[in-house]
Amino acid sequence: ETGVTQTPRHLVMGMTNKKSLKCEQHLGHNAMYWYKQSAKKPLELMFVYSLEERVENNSVPSRFSPECPNSSHLFLHLHTLQPEDSALYLCASSQGARTSTDTQYFGPGTRLTVL
Amino acid sequence: DQQVKQNSPSLSVQEGRISILNCDYTNSMFDYFLWYKKYPAEGPTFLISISSIKDKNEDGRFTVFLNKSAKHLSLHIVPSQPGDSAVYFCAASGAGSYQLTFGKGTKLSVIP
């Protein structure tokens, strides 16, 4: 595997389910990100981790819970989601966490549908 | 309130001609700007960037122009090729920031 991988690629869940999205980067990077892209909206940053510590949390509801066990893996744990949470969830990684010097590399995304 | 705006949802260009994609921003604290390209079922990939200390950056067929006074940037692709057909996102960030602020994207179709 190369680059940034995400599993699953598609997920359908009910509002009472608990599921997790997984992201893995094979680039030796130290920073990882979760983004959300809803229909007809721009990509929105949700969380940033640098050296496994959360450094940014953009007022994301607590029903989204990130976890970064090491610099190569990032999870997004989902519980009691709402239909409006249906979106494309993208993971990205970069060498450092400064946007002006560290290019972000994106995974293909997980298409989430909440019924 | 959108801080980065791409007002054209789509653009069609003939192969070999120039493609010009536009982006406007409102936050005067932004000092670094990027363009990403996205194919269907793939994540966005970095294309080109520009710092606010410059007004032009060129990389092969791709050139980004920055007009700070107008808070406007544009991406020029010359000559356009069918493989350039994709969604192009403009993004911006402030000094030392972790955060990229994206536009909604412009879908470019290059017609053979």
Side-chain angles (χ1 to χ4, degrees), chain A residues 42-94:
Chain A
L43 273 78
E44 300 172 86
L45 180 67
M46 300 175 73
F47 302 103
V48 181
Y49 278 81
S50 179
L51 296 171
E52 300 140 49
E53 288 193 20
R54 191 189 307 177
V55 295
E56 189 86 15
N57 174 359
N58 276 359
S59 302
V60 178
S62 59
R63 56 186 184 268
F64 295 93
S65 175
E67 178 190 3
C68 187
N70 56 62
S71 60
S72 298
H73 293 87
L74 184 65
F75 294 89
L76 188 63
H77 303 299
L78 316 171
H79 64 97
T80 58
L81 294 193
Q82 305 298 312
E84 58 264 29
D85 296 321
S86 298
L88 180 68
Y89 289 84
L90 288 158
C91 174
S93 72
S94 60

Coordinates of all heavy atoms in Angstrom, one line a residue, chain A residues 42-94:
Chain A
P42 N -18.0 23.2 0.9 CA -16.5 23.0 0.8 C -16.0 22.0 1.8 O -16.7 21.6 2.8 CB -15.9 24.4 1.2 CG -17.1 25.3 1.4 CD -18.3 24.5 1.5
L43 N -14.8 21.5 1.6 CA -14.2 20.6 2.6 C -14.0 21.4 3.9 O -13.6 22.5 3.9 CB -12.8 20.2 2.2 CG -12.6 18.9 1.3 CD1 -13.0 19.2 -0.1 CD2 -11.2 18.4 1.4
E44 N -14.4 20.7 5.0 CA -14.3 21.4 6.3 C -13.4 20.6 7.2 O -13.6 19.3 7.4 CB -15.7 21.4 7.0 CG -16.7 22.2 6.2 CD -18.1 22.0 6.9 OE1 -18.4 22.7 7.8 OE2 -18.8 21.0 6.5
L45 N -12.4 21.2 7.8 CA -11.5 20.5 8.7 C -12.2 20.2 10.0 O -12.9 21.0 10.6 CB -10.3 21.4 9.0 CG -9.2 20.9 9.9 CD1 -8.5 19.7 9.3 CD2 -8.2 22.0 10.3
M46 N -12.0 18.9 10.4 CA -12.6 18.5 11.7 C -11.6 18.4 12.8 O -11.8 19.0 13.8 CB -13.3 17.1 11.5 CG -14.4 17.1 10.4 SD -15.0 15.4 10.2 CE -15.9 15.1 11.7
F47 N -10.5 17.7 12.5 CA -9.5 17.4 13.5 C -8.1 17.4 12.9 O -8.0 17.0 11.8 CB -9.7 16.1 14.2 CG -11.1 15.9 14.9 CD1 -12.0 15.1 14.3 CD2 -11.3 16.5 16.1 CE1 -13.3 14.9 14.9 CE2 -12.5 16.3 16.7 CZ -13.5 15.5 16.1
V48 N -7.1 17.8 13.7 CA -5.7 17.8 13.3 C -5.0 17.1 14.5 O -5.1 17.5 15.6 CB -5.1 19.2 13.1 CG1 -3.7 19.0 12.6 CG2 -5.9 19.9 12.0
Y49 N -4.1 16.2 14.1 CA -3.2 15.5 15.0 C -1.8 15.8 14.6 O -1.5 15.6 13.4 CB -3.4 14.0 15.2 CG -4.6 13.7 16.1 CD1 -5.9 13.7 15.6 CD2 -4.3 13.3 17.4 CE1 -6.9 13.3 16.5 CE2 -5.3 12.9 18.2 CZ -6.6 12.9 17.8 OH -7.7 12.6 18.6
S50 N -0.9 16.2 15.5 CA 0.5 16.3 15.2 C 1.3 15.5 16.2 O 1.1 15.8 17.4 CB 0.9 17.8 15.2 OG 2.3 18.0 15.0
L51 N 2.1 14.6 15.7 CA 2.8 13.7 16.7 C 1.9 13.1 17.7 O 2.2 13.0 18.9 CB 4.0 14.5 17.4 CG 5.0 15.1 16.4 CD1 6.0 16.0 17.1 CD2 5.8 13.9 15.7
E52 N 0.8 12.6 17.2 CA -0.2 11.9 17.9 C -1.0 12.7 19.0 O -1.8 12.2 19.7 CB 0.4 10.6 18.6 CG 1.0 9.7 17.5 CD 2.3 9.1 18.0 OE1 2.3 8.6 19.2 OE2 3.2 9.1 17.2
E53 N -0.8 14.0 19.0 CA -1.5 14.9 19.9 C -2.5 15.7 19.1 O -2.2 16.3 18.1 CB -0.6 15.8 20.7 CG 0.2 15.0 21.7 CD 0.9 16.0 22.7 OE1 0.4 17.1 22.8 OE2 1.8 15.5 23.4
R54 N -3.7 15.8 19.6 CA -4.7 16.6 18.9 C -4.4 18.1 19.1 O -4.2 18.6 20.2 CB -6.1 16.4 19.4 CG -7.2 17.0 18.6 CD -8.6 17.0 19.2 NE -9.0 15.6 19.7 CZ -10.1 15.4 20.3 NH1 -11.0 16.3 20.5 NH2 -10.4 14.1 20.7
V55 N -4.2 18.8 18.0 CA -3.9 20.2 18.0 C -5.0 21.1 17.5 O -4.9 22.4 17.6 CB -2.6 20.5 17.3 CG1 -1.4 19.8 17.9 CG2 -2.7 20.1 15.8
E56 N -6.0 20.6 16.9 CA -7.1 21.4 16.4 C -8.4 20.6 16.5 O -8.4 19.4 16.1 CB -6.8 21.8 14.9 CG -7.8 22.8 14.4 CD -7.4 24.2 14.7 OE1 -6.2 24.5 15.0 OE2 -8.2 25.1 14.5
N57 N -9.4 21.2 16.9 CA -10.7 20.6 17.0 C -11.7 21.7 16.6 O -12.0 22.5 17.4 CB -11.0 20.0 18.4 CG -12.4 19.5 18.5 OD1 -13.2 19.5 17.5 ND2 -12.8 18.9 19.6
N58 N -12.2 21.6 15.4 CA -13.1 22.7 14.9 C -14.5 22.6 15.3 O -15.4 22.5 14.5 CB -13.0 22.8 13.4 CG -11.7 23.6 13.0 OD1 -11.0 24.1 13.8 ND2 -11.5 23.7 11.7
S59 N -14.8 22.6 16.6 CA -16.2 22.7 17.1 C -17.0 21.5 16.5 O -18.1 21.7 16.1 CB -16.8 24.0 16.8 OG -16.1 25.0 17.4
V60 N -16.4 20.3 16.6 CA -17.1 19.2 16.0 C -17.9 18.5 17.1 O -17.5 18.4 18.2 CB -16.1 18.1 15.5 CG1 -16.7 16.9 14.9 CG2 -15.2 18.8 14.4
P61 N -19.2 18.1 16.8 CA -20.0 17.5 17.8 C -19.4 16.3 18.4 O -18.6 15.5 17.7 CB -21.3 17.1 17.0 CG -21.3 18.0 15.8 CD -19.9 18.3 15.5
S62 N -19.7 16.0 19.7 CA -19.1 14.9 20.4 C -19.4 13.5 19.9 O -18.8 12.5 20.2 CB -19.4 15.0 21.9 OG -20.8 14.9 22.0
R63 N -20.4 13.4 19.0 CA -20.8 12.1 18.4 C -19.7 11.7 17.4 O -19.7 10.5 17.0 CB -22.1 12.2 17.7 CG -22.3 13.2 16.6 CD -23.7 13.3 16.1 NE -23.9 14.2 15.0 CZ -24.3 15.4 15.2 NH1 -24.5 15.9 16.4 NH2 -24.4 16.2 14.1
F64 N -18.7 12.6 17.1 CA -17.5 12.2 16.3 C -16.3 12.2 17.3 O -16.0 13.2 17.9 CB -17.2 13.3 15.2 CG -18.3 13.3 14.2 CD1 -19.4 14.2 14.3 CD2 -18.2 12.5 13.1 CE1 -20.3 14.3 13.3 CE2 -19.2 12.5 12.1 CZ -20.3 13.4 12.2
S65 N -15.7 11.1 17.4 CA -14.6 11.0 18.4 C -13.3 10.5 17.6 O -13.3 9.3 17.2 CB -15.0 10.0 19.5 OG -13.9 9.8 20.3
P66 N -12.3 11.3 17.5 CA -11.1 10.8 16.8 C -10.1 10.1 17.8 O -10.2 10.3 19.0 CB -10.4 12.1 16.4 CG -10.8 13.1 17.5 CD -12.2 12.7 18.0
E67 N -9.3 9.3 17.2 CA -8.3 8.6 17.9 C -7.0 8.4 17.0 O -7.2 8.0 15.9 CB -8.8 7.2 18.3 CG -7.7 6.4 19.1 CD -8.1 4.9 19.3 OE1 -9.2 4.5 18.8 OE2 -7.3 4.2 19.9
C68 N -5.9 8.8 17.6 CA -4.6 8.6 16.8 C -3.6 7.8 17.7 O -2.9 8.4 18.4 CB -4.1 10.0 16.5 SG -2.6 10.0 15.4
P69 N -3.6 6.5 17.5 CA -2.8 5.7 18.4 C -1.3 5.8 18.1 O -0.4 5.5 18.9 CB -3.3 4.3 18.1 CG -3.9 4.3 16.8 CD -4.5 5.7 16.6
N70 N -1.0 6.1 16.8 CA 0.4 6.3 16.4 C 0.4 7.2 15.2 O -0.7 7.5 14.6 CB 1.1 5.0 16.2 CG 0.4 4.1 15.1 OD1 0.2 4.5 14.0 ND2 -0.1 3.0 15.6
S71 N 1.6 7.6 14.7 CA 1.6 8.6 13.6 C 1.2 8.1 12.3 O 1.0 8.8 11.4 CB 3.0 9.2 13.5 OG 4.0 8.1 13.2
S72 N 1.0 6.8 12.2 CA 0.5 6.2 10.9 C -1.0 5.9 10.8 O -1.5 5.7 9.8 CB 1.3 4.8 10.7 OG 2.7 5.0 10.6
H73 N -1.7 5.9 12.0 CA -3.0 5.5 12.0 C -3.9 6.6 12.6 O -3.5 7.2 13.6 CB -3.2 4.2 12.8 CG -2.6 3.0 12.1 ND1 -1.3 2.7 12.3 CD2 -3.1 2.1 11.2 CE1 -1.0 1.6 11.6 NE2 -2.1 1.2 10.9
L74 N -5.1 6.8 12.0 CA -6.1 7.7 12.6 C -7.4 7.1 12.4 O -7.8 6.5 11.4 CB -6.0 9.0 11.8 CG -6.9 10.2 12.2 CD1 -6.5 10.7 13.6 CD2 -6.8 11.3 11.2
F75 N -8.2 7.2 13.5 CA -9.6 6.6 13.5 C -10.6 7.8 13.7 O -10.3 8.8 14.4 CB -9.7 5.6 14.5 CG -8.9 4.3 14.3 CD1 -7.6 4.3 14.8 CD2 -9.4 3.3 13.6 CE1 -6.8 3.1 14.6 CE2 -8.6 2.1 13.4 CZ -7.3 2.1 13.9
L76 N -11.8 7.6 13.2 CA -12.9 8.4 13.6 C -14.0 7.5 14.0 O -14.6 6.8 13.2 CB -13.3 9.3 12.4 CG -14.3 10.4 12.6 CD1 -13.8 11.4 13.6 CD2 -14.8 11.1 11.3
H77 N -14.3 7.6 15.3 CA -15.4 6.8 15.9 C -16.7 7.5 15.8 O -16.7 8.7 16.2 CB -15.0 6.4 17.3 CG -13.7 5.7 17.5 ND1 -13.4 4.5 16.9 CD2 -12.6 6.1 18.1 CE1 -12.2 4.1 17.2 NE2 -11.6 5.1 17.9
L78 N -17.7 6.8 15.4 CA -19.0 7.4 15.1 C -20.1 6.8 16.0 O -20.1 5.6 16.1 CB -19.4 7.3 13.6 CG -18.3 7.5 12.6 CD1 -18.8 7.0 11.2 CD2 -17.9 8.9 12.6
H79 N -20.9 7.6 16.6 CA -22.0 7.0 17.4 C -23.2 8.0 17.4 O -23.0 9.2 17.5 CB -21.5 6.6 18.8 CG -21.1 7.8 19.6 ND1 -21.9 8.4 20.6 CD2 -19.9 8.4 19.7 CE1 -21.2 9.4 21.2 NE2 -20.0 9.4 20.6
T80 N -24.4 7.5 17.4 CA -25.6 8.2 17.4 C -25.6 9.4 16.4 O -25.8 10.6 16.7 CB -26.0 8.7 18.8 OG1 -24.9 9.6 19.3 CG2 -26.2 7.6 19.7
L81 N -25.2 9.1 15.2 CA -25.1 10.1 14.1 C -26.5 10.5 13.6 O -27.5 9.8 13.9 CB -24.3 9.6 12.9 CG -22.8 9.4 13.2 CD1 -22.1 9.3 11.9 CD2 -22.2 10.5 14.0
Q82 N -26.6 11.6 13.0 CA -27.8 12.1 12.4 C -27.7 12.0 10.9 O -26.6 12.0 10.3 CB -28.0 13.6 12.8 CG -27.9 13.9 14.3 CD -29.1 13.1 15.0 OE1 -30.2 13.2 14.6 NE2 -28.8 12.4 16.0
P83 N -28.9 12.0 10.2 CA -28.8 11.9 8.7 C -28.0 13.1 8.1 O -27.4 12.9 7.0 CB -30.3 12.0 8.3 CG -31.0 11.4 9.5 CD -30.3 11.9 10.7
E84 N -28.0 14.2 8.7 CA -27.2 15.3 8.1 C -25.7 15.1 8.2 O -24.9 15.9 7.7 CB -27.6 16.7 8.8 CG -27.4 16.7 10.3 CD -28.7 16.4 11.1 OE1 -29.5 15.7 10.5 OE2 -28.8 16.9 12.2
D85 N -25.3 14.1 8.9 CA -23.9 13.7 9.0 C -23.4 12.9 7.8 O -22.2 12.6 7.6 CB -23.6 12.9 10.3 CG -23.8 13.7 11.5 OD1 -23.5 15.0 11.5 OD2 -24.3 13.2 12.5
S86 N -24.4 12.6 6.9 CA -24.0 11.9 5.7 C -23.1 12.8 4.9 O -23.5 13.9 4.6 CB -25.3 11.5 4.9 OG -26.1 10.6 5.7
A87 N -22.0 12.2 4.5 CA -21.0 13.1 3.8 C -19.8 12.2 3.3 O -19.8 11.0 3.6 CB -20.5 14.2 4.7
L88 N -18.9 12.8 2.6 CA -17.6 12.2 2.3 C -16.6 12.6 3.4 O -16.4 13.8 3.6 CB -17.1 12.6 0.9 CG -15.8 12.0 0.5 CD1 -15.9 10.5 0.2 CD2 -15.3 12.7 -0.8
Y89 N -16.0 11.6 4.1 CA -15.0 11.9 5.1 C -13.6 11.6 4.5 O -13.4 10.4 4.2 CB -15.3 11.1 6.4 CG -16.6 11.6 7.0 CD1 -17.8 11.2 6.6 CD2 -16.5 12.6 8.0 CE1 -19.0 11.8 7.2 CE2 -17.6 13.1 8.6 CZ -18.9 12.7 8.2 OH -20.0 13.2 8.8
L90 N -12.8 12.6 4.5 CA -11.5 12.5 4.0 C -10.4 12.6 5.0 O -10.5 13.4 5.9 CB -11.2 13.6 2.9 CG -12.0 13.5 1.6 CD1 -12.1 14.8 1.0 CD2 -11.3 12.5 0.7
C91 N -9.4 11.7 4.9 CA -8.3 11.7 5.8 C -7.1 12.3 5.0 O -7.0 12.1 3.8 CB -8.0 10.3 6.3 SG -6.4 10.1 7.2
A92 N -6.2 13.0 5.7 CA -5.0 13.5 5.0 C -3.8 13.4 6.0 O -4.0 13.3 7.2 CB -5.2 15.0 4.6
S93 N -2.7 13.5 5.4 CA -1.5 13.5 6.2 C -0.4 14.5 5.6 O -0.5 14.8 4.5 CB -0.8 12.1 6.4 OG -0.2 11.7 5.2
S94 N 0.5 15.0 6.5 CA 1.5 15.8 6.0 C 2.7 15.6 6.9 O 2.6 15.1 8.0 CB 1.1 17.3 6.0 OG 0.7 17.7 7.3

